[in-house]
Amino acid sequence: MSAKEADLLLRGARLLTLAPSGEERPRVGAAAGDVGAIDDGWVAAREGQVVATGRGGTWERVRLVDGATTEDVGGRVVMPGFVDPHTHLCYAGQRWDEFEARRSGSDYLAILERGGGIHATVRATREASDARLLALMRARLDRAVAAGTTTIEIKSGYGLEPEEELRHLRIIAALRSEAIVDVAPTYLAAHALPGRANGDRRAFLRSAQAVLTRVAEEHLAEAVDAFVEKGVFETEEVAPLMHEAAALGLARAVHADQLNDVGGAGFAARVEARSADHVSRASADGLRALERGGTVAVLLPGSALFVGYPPPDGRRFVAHRVPVALGTDHNPGTSPLEGVPTAIALAVTMCGLTPHEAIVAATANAAHALGRGTRTGALVEGRRADVVVLETDDERELAYRLGARLVRTVYASGQRVAEHETVR
Ligand code: NIG
Ligand code: FE
């Protein structure tokens, strides 16, 4: 990337800096909706990094290389690129039949128990070649970037068998190395018990621990995750995996209390996970544990909508001063969302976040959920110049126009990676 391509000045903006009020940390409580707006604002980036922001004509003092991209955006909203902290992009096949059956009353966990659900995707993904899986993921990533995502977490978890999980993680690594945006890989070590384990849960979890060692050696993931749920895995069963991950220097995340309160939120805090995800059913004790641990609650309203269970109540998390982040949870079973703007609209309509809280949750707080709180998620000096320009002068429109394409231009590290013609 040449410096020229990565130098950027956007002025005449309604600028959302997401700047922290003091030291950088997840925004909670009364600060949960602090977007740091500057009207008639500007942002400048050099060699892919934000160097300054300001108001009015003060941008004239900024020196950029000749030929840098400069634009008066005419009052449009300019804000940090979205950070999607929870996706399962690595899969093949679809689950239309299951979706239809569930909407007519079939139960998600009962389908899984019968060998469908996650297992159906495991079978379809096993059939897909490396090249096919890479191509599928590339297309999904392109669509996410077009919708404004500049940092994305991608989990394995549809391999289940050790060698298959490693194959998926290596394909995610290949995608990461070619991607124009930042990809954070996660080893979803305990997603379901594979049929071939013949019900031997302990043996399966021991094999996952062995995979973990290889994952750490080959730097195939930054974090380890587990699906803690009634009839899937219990907290105490996966505790050794989490402790081993910590010992190997890997971060932890937990699919916690999605459909039932199984103490997942408290468990996530106990193993010092960086996030507890879903948390629709988390108890008050669970929320207090998240608050004490500074663990980020990643809300995933897409899956609540498409599976049909009660969404997490965002107001409870804000009241408990738990940091709230937001993700798409893109996967073929529970959440077809590909873009963060839709997740923002759902977080406001279904979870009761304010539009500004949802924007913080999808940028600064989501960056914290991925251990990137000082690298992206805000337009302040020294951060990556991950920026989106919206086709509106009021960011609340993101929360309102469900399904509309409001993202006009996307920059990752100062480089334009998507541009759309939009008609207003
Ligand atoms: O985040 N619930 C666990 N994992 C995924 C869904 C997996 C699937 O059904 O394929 C989720 O909802
Ligand atoms: Fe998930």
Side-chain angles (χ1 to χ4, degrees), residues 86 88 95 108 118 158 191 227 255 258 278 329 331 333-334:
H86 184 134
H88 306 249
R95 309 227 301 261
Y108 178 79
I118 291 170
Y158 290 117
H191 200 189
F227 183 22
H255 276 70
Q258 178 178 6
H278 287 289
D329 194 19
N331 76 77
T334 67

